[in-house]
Amino acid sequence: MSMKEERLQKVIANSGVTSRRKAEQLITEGRVKVNGSIVTELGTKVTSQQNVEVDGIPLEKEDKVYLLMNKPRRVISTVEDDKGRKAVTELLSPELDQRVYPVGRLDYDTSGLLLLTNDGELTNQLIHPKYSIDKVYVAKVKGIPTKEELLKLKKGVTHDGERLKCVRSKLLEVDKKKGISMVELTLHQGKNRQVRRMFESLGYQVEKLKRERFGGLTLGNLQSGEYRALTPHEVKELYDLAARNVK
Ligand code: URA
């Protein structure tokens, strides 16, 4: 067994219970015990042989799972919904022992690539704004944005007081008759409803939205609602990507 020491908040976050920040809060609130004693000091180091409990419940040392799903529309990407809508986790096999969480969110009406994992450390790295990971979306837009407008999206637009921008914007297809276009946007930011809001700021409505790529991962042949496990190589690439992209 490894005797490597790790910071208590990291061990809690990695177990998938919560984020690093929330784990710190749990510690300072006196809700965490190490080998039966309450620990409130944030820097405390623990080894895998020590017993960590949160609110009296021991952290499970479960195997890590990494899934890539083609999320359908009309499914929420949180674990539960107070409006009773279907959650992505309901699409997973009941035989999956681990409880996994989505890495970031896709809107109820957005489809496409969604990662799910119980690896809290990787999740925190991938969704942290300082990690500039490509997220590629294809939007079906009501209207045909001009070159200048697409450039504007790169320079940045303001929506509800928030500065939103993409790193690339590309017009893929135009249907002049129907007055509809397909536009690809690559984001590093991950703000709430970002693509829809960016087009809204130009006066366009997004009719459909799909995420096609996350870092180096694409949907491949996965049909809507299907998922597959990432290969160890793909997991390593995600870790490498997060490490490379620290700003
Ligand atoms: N931008 C959106 O507008 N919605 C998503 O789900 C993701 C990015």
Side-chain angles (χ1 to χ4, degrees), residues 140-162:
K140 182 177 176 189
V141 178
K142 207 169 169 188
I144 302 166
T146 62
K147 262 193 187 153
E148 290 70 31
E149 286 173 322
L150 292 179
L151 199 62
K152 235 180 177 179
L153 296 179
K154 269 179 75 175
K155 287 197 174 137
V157 292
T158 303
H159 187 282
D160 281 346
E162 227 174 356

PDB file of all heavy atoms in Angstrom, residues 140-162:
ATOM      1  N   LYS A 140     -26.758  25.401 -34.451  1.00  0.00           N
ATOM      2  CA  LYS A 140     -27.654  25.711 -35.569  1.00  0.00           C
ATOM      3  C   LYS A 140     -28.286  27.055 -35.222  1.00  0.00           C
ATOM      4  O   LYS A 140     -28.999  27.174 -34.209  1.00  0.00           O
ATOM      5  CB  LYS A 140     -28.713  24.622 -35.685  1.00  0.00           C
ATOM      6  CG  LYS A 140     -29.669  24.812 -36.826  1.00  0.00           C
ATOM      7  CD  LYS A 140     -30.619  23.633 -36.882  1.00  0.00           C
ATOM      8  CE  LYS A 140     -31.664  23.828 -37.962  1.00  0.00           C
ATOM      9  NZ  LYS A 140     -32.711  22.813 -37.885  1.00  0.00           N
ATOM     10  N   VAL A 141     -27.966  28.040 -36.047  1.00  0.00           N
ATOM     11  CA  VAL A 141     -28.335  29.413 -35.698  1.00  0.00           C
ATOM     12  C   VAL A 141     -29.438  29.915 -36.626  1.00  0.00           C
ATOM     13  O   VAL A 141     -29.373  29.705 -37.847  1.00  0.00           O
ATOM     14  CB  VAL A 141     -27.085  30.335 -35.817  1.00  0.00           C
ATOM     15  CG1 VAL A 141     -27.438  31.788 -35.518  1.00  0.00           C
ATOM     16  CG2 VAL A 141     -25.983  29.854 -34.891  1.00  0.00           C
ATOM     17  N   LYS A 142     -30.417  30.554 -36.052  1.00  0.00           N
ATOM     18  CA  LYS A 142     -31.480  31.178 -36.850  1.00  0.00           C
ATOM     19  C   LYS A 142     -30.930  32.510 -37.357  1.00  0.00           C
ATOM     20  O   LYS A 142     -30.804  33.467 -36.577  1.00  0.00           O
ATOM     21  CB  LYS A 142     -32.701  31.395 -35.960  1.00  0.00           C
ATOM     22  CG  LYS A 142     -33.983  31.399 -36.704  1.00  0.00           C
ATOM     23  CD  LYS A 142     -35.138  31.336 -35.764  1.00  0.00           C
ATOM     24  CE  LYS A 142     -36.406  31.609 -36.520  1.00  0.00           C
ATOM     25  NZ  LYS A 142     -37.533  31.741 -35.634  1.00  0.00           N
ATOM     26  N   GLY A 143     -30.554  32.525 -38.626  1.00  0.00           N
ATOM     27  CA  GLY A 143     -29.901  33.705 -39.188  1.00  0.00           C
ATOM     28  C   GLY A 143     -28.512  33.337 -39.679  1.00  0.00           C
ATOM     29  O   GLY A 143     -28.047  32.219 -39.454  1.00  0.00           O
ATOM     30  N   ILE A 144     -27.884  34.272 -40.352  1.00  0.00           N
ATOM     31  CA  ILE A 144     -26.556  34.009 -40.912  1.00  0.00           C
ATOM     32  C   ILE A 144     -25.591  35.097 -40.441  1.00  0.00           C
ATOM     33  O   ILE A 144     -25.596  36.219 -40.965  1.00  0.00           O
ATOM     34  CB  ILE A 144     -26.625  33.955 -42.465  1.00  0.00           C
ATOM     35  CG1 ILE A 144     -27.630  32.860 -42.872  1.00  0.00           C
ATOM     36  CG2 ILE A 144     -25.242  33.689 -43.068  1.00  0.00           C
ATOM     37  CD1 ILE A 144     -28.056  32.896 -44.319  1.00  0.00           C
ATOM     38  N   PRO A 145     -24.784  34.793 -39.447  1.00  0.00           N
ATOM     39  CA  PRO A 145     -23.868  35.811 -38.933  1.00  0.00           C
ATOM     40  C   PRO A 145     -22.842  36.230 -39.990  1.00  0.00           C
ATOM     41  O   PRO A 145     -22.411  35.396 -40.802  1.00  0.00           O
ATOM     42  CB  PRO A 145     -23.160  35.126 -37.755  1.00  0.00           C
ATOM     43  CG  PRO A 145     -23.878  33.849 -37.505  1.00  0.00           C
ATOM     44  CD  PRO A 145     -24.655  33.517 -38.729  1.00  0.00           C
ATOM     45  N   THR A 146     -22.471  37.488 -39.965  1.00  0.00           N
ATOM     46  CA  THR A 146     -21.463  37.982 -40.907  1.00  0.00           C
ATOM     47  C   THR A 146     -20.060  37.672 -40.366  1.00  0.00           C
ATOM     48  O   THR A 146     -19.905  37.329 -39.189  1.00  0.00           O
ATOM     49  CB  THR A 146     -21.577  39.516 -41.046  1.00  0.00           C
ATOM     50  OG1 THR A 146     -21.302  40.082 -39.747  1.00  0.00           O
ATOM     51  CG2 THR A 146     -22.951  39.948 -41.516  1.00  0.00           C
ATOM     52  N   LYS A 147     -19.073  37.853 -41.246  1.00  0.00           N
ATOM     53  CA  LYS A 147     -17.671  37.652 -40.835  1.00  0.00           C
ATOM     54  C   LYS A 147     -17.339  38.535 -39.643  1.00  0.00           C
ATOM     55  O   LYS A 147     -16.665  38.136 -38.699  1.00  0.00           O
ATOM     56  CB  LYS A 147     -16.750  38.036 -41.989  1.00  0.00           C
ATOM     57  CG  LYS A 147     -16.284  36.860 -42.788  1.00  0.00           C
ATOM     58  CD  LYS A 147     -15.150  37.316 -43.683  1.00  0.00           C
ATOM     59  CE  LYS A 147     -14.776  36.193 -44.616  1.00  0.00           C
ATOM     60  NZ  LYS A 147     -14.199  36.641 -45.848  1.00  0.00           N
ATOM     61  N   GLU A 148     -17.804  39.793 -39.732  1.00  0.00           N
ATOM     62  CA  GLU A 148     -17.504  40.763 -38.671  1.00  0.00           C
ATOM     63  C   GLU A 148     -18.102  40.307 -37.345  1.00  0.00           C
ATOM     64  O   GLU A 148     -17.490  40.432 -36.294  1.00  0.00           O
ATOM     65  CB  GLU A 148     -18.063  42.152 -39.028  1.00  0.00           C
ATOM     66  CG  GLU A 148     -17.369  42.869 -40.166  1.00  0.00           C
ATOM     67  CD  GLU A 148     -17.643  42.220 -41.529  1.00  0.00           C
ATOM     68  OE1 GLU A 148     -18.751  41.654 -41.710  1.00  0.00           O
ATOM     69  OE2 GLU A 148     -16.753  42.260 -42.400  1.00  0.00           O
ATOM     70  N   GLU A 149     -19.324  39.766 -37.434  1.00  0.00           N
ATOM     71  CA  GLU A 149     -19.977  39.316 -36.200  1.00  0.00           C
ATOM     72  C   GLU A 149     -19.239  38.118 -35.588  1.00  0.00           C
ATOM     73  O   GLU A 149     -19.085  38.031 -34.374  1.00  0.00           O
ATOM     74  CB  GLU A 149     -21.438  38.959 -36.481  1.00  0.00           C
ATOM     75  CG  GLU A 149     -22.300  40.203 -36.676  1.00  0.00           C
ATOM     76  CD  GLU A 149     -23.713  39.872 -37.123  1.00  0.00           C
ATOM     77  OE1 GLU A 149     -23.908  38.936 -37.924  1.00  0.00           O
ATOM     78  OE2 GLU A 149     -24.627  40.585 -36.686  1.00  0.00           O
ATOM     79  N   LEU A 150     -18.772  37.220 -36.464  1.00  0.00           N
ATOM     80  CA  LEU A 150     -18.028  36.063 -35.944  1.00  0.00           C
ATOM     81  C   LEU A 150     -16.715  36.511 -35.293  1.00  0.00           C
ATOM     82  O   LEU A 150     -16.280  35.948 -34.290  1.00  0.00           O
ATOM     83  CB  LEU A 150     -17.758  35.047 -37.059  1.00  0.00           C
ATOM     84  CG  LEU A 150     -19.006  34.337 -37.596  1.00  0.00           C
ATOM     85  CD1 LEU A 150     -18.655  33.369 -38.715  1.00  0.00           C
ATOM     86  CD2 LEU A 150     -19.736  33.580 -36.485  1.00  0.00           C
ATOM     87  N   LEU A 151     -16.135  37.554 -35.878  1.00  0.00           N
ATOM     88  CA  LEU A 151     -14.901  38.113 -35.315  1.00  0.00           C
ATOM     89  C   LEU A 151     -15.175  38.732 -33.943  1.00  0.00           C
ATOM     90  O   LEU A 151     -14.383  38.629 -33.004  1.00  0.00           O
ATOM     91  CB  LEU A 151     -14.356  39.165 -36.276  1.00  0.00           C
ATOM     92  CG  LEU A 151     -12.891  39.527 -36.115  1.00  0.00           C
ATOM     93  CD1 LEU A 151     -12.019  38.305 -36.372  1.00  0.00           C
ATOM     94  CD2 LEU A 151     -12.524  40.633 -37.106  1.00  0.00           C
ATOM     95  N   LYS A 152     -16.335  39.353 -33.840  1.00  0.00           N
ATOM     96  CA  LYS A 152     -16.762  39.969 -32.576  1.00  0.00           C
ATOM     97  C   LYS A 152     -16.808  38.932 -31.450  1.00  0.00           C
ATOM     98  O   LYS A 152     -16.460  39.213 -30.311  1.00  0.00           O
ATOM     99  CB  LYS A 152     -18.169  40.549 -32.765  1.00  0.00           C
ATOM    100  CG  LYS A 152     -18.302  42.001 -32.417  1.00  0.00           C
ATOM    101  CD  LYS A 152     -19.719  42.387 -32.652  1.00  0.00           C
ATOM    102  CE  LYS A 152     -20.001  43.810 -32.259  1.00  0.00           C
ATOM    103  NZ  LYS A 152     -21.374  44.168 -32.529  1.00  0.00           N
ATOM    104  N   LEU A 153     -17.280  37.724 -31.813  1.00  0.00           N
ATOM    105  CA  LEU A 153     -17.374  36.662 -30.802  1.00  0.00           C
ATOM    106  C   LEU A 153     -15.994  36.296 -30.269  1.00  0.00           C
ATOM    107  O   LEU A 153     -15.838  35.902 -29.126  1.00  0.00           O
ATOM    108  CB  LEU A 153     -18.063  35.417 -31.376  1.00  0.00           C
ATOM    109  CG  LEU A 153     -19.520  35.586 -31.791  1.00  0.00           C
ATOM    110  CD1 LEU A 153     -20.070  34.279 -32.364  1.00  0.00           C
ATOM    111  CD2 LEU A 153     -20.386  36.035 -30.620  1.00  0.00           C
ATOM    112  N   LYS A 154     -14.984  36.439 -31.141  1.00  0.00           N
ATOM    113  CA  LYS A 154     -13.612  36.146 -30.712  1.00  0.00           C
ATOM    114  C   LYS A 154     -13.052  37.272 -29.852  1.00  0.00           C
ATOM    115  O   LYS A 154     -12.316  37.042 -28.898  1.00  0.00           O
ATOM    116  CB  LYS A 154     -12.705  35.967 -31.939  1.00  0.00           C
ATOM    117  CG  LYS A 154     -12.639  34.527 -32.405  1.00  0.00           C
ATOM    118  CD  LYS A 154     -11.783  34.370 -33.618  1.00  0.00           C
ATOM    119  CE  LYS A 154     -10.308  34.468 -33.298  1.00  0.00           C
ATOM    120  NZ  LYS A 154      -9.481  34.186 -34.477  1.00  0.00           N
ATOM    121  N   LYS A 155     -13.423  38.481 -30.219  1.00  0.00           N
ATOM    122  CA  LYS A 155     -12.916  39.629 -29.451  1.00  0.00           C
ATOM    123  C   LYS A 155     -13.580  39.694 -28.093  1.00  0.00           C
ATOM    124  O   LYS A 155     -13.018  40.192 -27.127  1.00  0.00           O
ATOM    125  CB  LYS A 155     -13.173  40.922 -30.219  1.00  0.00           C
ATOM    126  CG  LYS A 155     -12.242  41.037 -31.403  1.00  0.00           C
ATOM    127  CD  LYS A 155     -12.184  42.448 -31.910  1.00  0.00           C
ATOM    128  CE  LYS A 155     -11.150  42.589 -32.999  1.00  0.00           C
ATOM    129  NZ  LYS A 155     -11.637  43.399 -34.110  1.00  0.00           N
ATOM    130  N   GLY A 156     -14.820  39.200 -28.033  1.00  0.00           N
ATOM    131  CA  GLY A 156     -15.552  39.202 -26.769  1.00  0.00           C
ATOM    132  C   GLY A 156     -16.798  40.056 -26.825  1.00  0.00           C
ATOM    133  O   GLY A 156     -16.785  41.155 -27.406  1.00  0.00           O
ATOM    134  N   VAL A 157     -17.872  39.534 -26.253  1.00  0.00           N
ATOM    135  CA  VAL A 157     -19.127  40.290 -26.177  1.00  0.00           C
ATOM    136  C   VAL A 157     -19.544  40.327 -24.710  1.00  0.00           C
ATOM    137  O   VAL A 157     -19.064  39.533 -23.907  1.00  0.00           O
ATOM    138  CB  VAL A 157     -20.245  39.617 -27.018  1.00  0.00           C
ATOM    139  CG1 VAL A 157     -19.956  39.705 -28.497  1.00  0.00           C
ATOM    140  CG2 VAL A 157     -20.437  38.155 -26.612  1.00  0.00           C
ATOM    141  N   THR A 158     -20.423  41.266 -24.392  1.00  0.00           N
ATOM    142  CA  THR A 158     -20.874  41.348 -23.002  1.00  0.00           C
ATOM    143  C   THR A 158     -22.338  40.930 -22.943  1.00  0.00           C
ATOM    144  O   THR A 158     -23.161  41.395 -23.730  1.00  0.00           O
ATOM    145  CB  THR A 158     -20.695  42.789 -22.467  1.00  0.00           C
ATOM    146  OG1 THR A 158     -19.319  43.129 -22.630  1.00  0.00           O
ATOM    147  CG2 THR A 158     -21.047  42.889 -20.988  1.00  0.00           C
ATOM    148  N   HIS A 159     -22.631  40.031 -22.034  1.00  0.00           N
ATOM    149  CA  HIS A 159     -24.016  39.581 -21.856  1.00  0.00           C
ATOM    150  C   HIS A 159     -24.289  39.548 -20.362  1.00  0.00           C
ATOM    151  O   HIS A 159     -23.543  38.910 -19.617  1.00  0.00           O
ATOM    152  CB  HIS A 159     -24.203  38.201 -22.480  1.00  0.00           C
ATOM    153  CG  HIS A 159     -25.624  37.728 -22.491  1.00  0.00           C
ATOM    154  ND1 HIS A 159     -26.253  37.216 -21.385  1.00  0.00           N
ATOM    155  CD2 HIS A 159     -26.557  37.716 -23.486  1.00  0.00           C
ATOM    156  CE1 HIS A 159     -27.488  36.895 -21.691  1.00  0.00           C
ATOM    157  NE2 HIS A 159     -27.708  37.194 -22.955  1.00  0.00           N
ATOM    158  N   ASP A 160     -25.332  40.241 -19.929  1.00  0.00           N
ATOM    159  CA  ASP A 160     -25.657  40.318 -18.494  1.00  0.00           C
ATOM    160  C   ASP A 160     -24.433  40.681 -17.660  1.00  0.00           C
ATOM    161  O   ASP A 160     -24.168  40.078 -16.621  1.00  0.00           O
ATOM    162  CB  ASP A 160     -26.211  38.980 -17.990  1.00  0.00           C
ATOM    163  CG  ASP A 160     -27.675  38.812 -18.376  1.00  0.00           C
ATOM    164  OD1 ASP A 160     -28.300  39.808 -18.775  1.00  0.00           O
ATOM    165  OD2 ASP A 160     -28.179  37.674 -18.284  1.00  0.00           O
ATOM    166  N   GLY A 161     -23.656  41.619 -18.173  1.00  0.00           N
ATOM    167  CA  GLY A 161     -22.498  42.117 -17.427  1.00  0.00           C
ATOM    168  C   GLY A 161     -21.312  41.167 -17.430  1.00  0.00           C
ATOM    169  O   GLY A 161     -20.306  41.421 -16.769  1.00  0.00           O
ATOM    170  N   GLU A 162     -21.399  40.066 -18.178  1.00  0.00           N
ATOM    171  CA  GLU A 162     -20.294  39.113 -18.199  1.00  0.00           C
ATOM    172  C   GLU A 162     -19.605  39.141 -19.550  1.00  0.00           C
ATOM    173  O   GLU A 162     -20.271  39.187 -20.591  1.00  0.00           O
ATOM    174  CB  GLU A 162     -20.850  37.706 -17.963  1.00  0.00           C
ATOM    175  CG  GLU A 162     -20.081  36.942 -16.947  1.00  0.00           C
ATOM    176  CD  GLU A 162     -20.724  35.600 -16.619  1.00  0.00           C
ATOM    177  OE1 GLU A 162     -21.813  35.270 -17.122  1.00  0.00           O
ATOM    178  OE2 GLU A 162     -20.103  34.877 -15.864  1.00  0.00           O
TER     179      GLU A 162
END
